[in-house]
Amino acid sequence: MTDTTMAAIAPASVNGVAIGAEAIREESLLYRDDADAIASARRALAIRELLRQRAVALGIADAGTELDDAVVDALIGREVSVPEPTESDCRRYYDGHPARFRRNEIVYASHILFAVTGGGALAALRHQAEQTLRRLLAEPEAFEATAREMSNCPSAGVGGSLGQLLRGDSVPEFERAVFDGEAIGLLPGLVRTRFGFHIVRVERRVPGEAVPFDEARAEIARFLGERVRHKAIQQYIAILAAQASIVGVALGEANGPLVQ
């Protein structure tokens, strides 16, 4: 990063504690794939500083202590109440998401991957993927040829075909896109995963069989518990932010690496 770019990174502060341009620059390297890496870095550092200050105020950490997972866990455990999901909560989720609770379900699918690379511009890559998807929605017969020409996956050599997929064969975002629905054909939206942007076509579905609620209950309870915890931590950070003097940072919904 050039000196000019460094000068353009304005510092921030939380309750008078400065977050310098160099710290923001270093943190931004972790968010190179974000649309605005600097803004993401500011939010992450501000959330970290908010939590550190609160931990010090409560005597959980000393003033000079770095914020680590143990301190965060102790702080959240003390300050955030996370209710356990009830039997009716689990049953309601099970009944509302039948596609997620099937075994031996098979999907035959193909994709075109626009891969995220370390030095690539995410916005430009997304734009390219969106343009390609629009063209294929108008000309679906061009899918295989386009996959061979443009996909960054080894499956490009076979027109993008992934063959048969079972649950657990792919990353969660891709799995949800192809399994949690009934659509056949080209999916109308891009699928974003850590690998990049995917244009996905579902060729065939083999329904499988339903998993009984009693077998799924523990998994559902874990999932709902994590979701409630995530939301509770977001709300907690929002309360801390509302009580703080924060300069140079837009926290928004207080999303950051500590609340993912």
Side-chain angles (χ1 to χ4, degrees):
M1 184 170 286
T2 66
D3 291 340
T4 301
T5 306
M6 277 291 296
I9 301 177
S13 67
V14 176
N15 292 324
V17 176
I19 301 173
E22 177 61 21
I24 295 170
R25 184 198 69 79
E26 290 184 3
E27 185 76 11
S28 72
L29 298 178
L30 302 175
Y31 300 94
R32 286 178 295 186
D33 293 335
D34 285 14
D36 189 338
I38 295 298
S40 295
R42 287 177 183 277
R43 284 193 296 272
L45 291 171
I47 290 170
R48 200 175 302 160
E49 182 58 26
L50 275 172
L51 294 175
R52 188 196 68 80
Q53 290 180 18
R54 183 61 177 168
V56 170
L58 293 175
I60 295 172
D62 296 329
T65 301
E66 290 285 330
L67 189 73
D68 58 20
D69 289 346
V71 172
V72 172
D73 288 344
L75 178 62
I76 297 303
R78 179 165 170 177
E79 295 255 276
V80 179
S81 175
V82 181
E84 293 292 327
T86 65
E87 180 86 359
S88 61
D89 292 333
C90 294
R91 170 63 75 174
R92 187 162 51 249
Y93 186 84
Y94 176 85
D95 290 341
H97 301 82
R100 294 192 179 185
F101 303 104
R102 304 194 69 82
R103 61 164 63 98
N104 302 322
E105 186 179 10
I106 300 172
V107 170
Y108 292 82
S110 301
H111 79 145
I112 300 170
L113 171 63
F114 294 82
V116 172
T117 58
L122 191 66
L125 186 68
R126 181 189 290 112
H127 180 68
Q128 182 187 23
E130 288 172 342
Q131 283 190 318
T132 304
L133 176 58
R134 282 195 292 270
R135 179 169 61 82
L136 289 176
L137 287 170
E139 305 174 40
E141 68 279 1
F143 186 94
E144 287 85 356
T146 303
R148 290 189 176 92
E149 176 187 353
M150 303 186 72
S151 182
N152 302 129
C153 177
S155 65
V158 288
S161 176
L162 296 170
Q164 70 174 38
L165 299 172
L166 300 171
R167 287 190 182 271
D169 285 348
S170 56
V171 293
E173 304 93 329
F174 194 92
E175 179 176 298
R176 285 193 295 270
V178 299
F179 281 97
D180 292 356
E182 302 296 331
I184 297 291
L186 196 62
L187 300 188
L190 296 175
V191 177
R192 172 73 195 276
T193 72
R194 64 175 177 265
F195 299 112
F197 299 97
H198 307 252
I199 296 173
V200 180
R201 185 180 68 183
V202 175
E203 280 99 28
R204 185 158 67 94
R205 297 180 181 277
V206 179
E209 59 191 28
V211 176
F213 173 72
D214 287 345
E215 291 185 30
R217 183 195 293 109
E219 176 190 343
I220 295 170
R222 282 193 297 271
F223 171 77
L224 293 180
E226 281 302 309
R227 190 167 70 174
V228 171
R229 183 176 186 272
H230 174 89
K231 185 64 176 178
I233 294 173
Q234 280 188 314
Q235 292 171 344
Y236 174 64
I237 292 172
I239 291 170
L240 293 182
Q243 297 170 345
S245 173
I246 300 175
V247 177
V249 183
L251 285 184
E253 295 184 354
N255 281 309
L258 295 171
V259 292
Q260 297 302 311

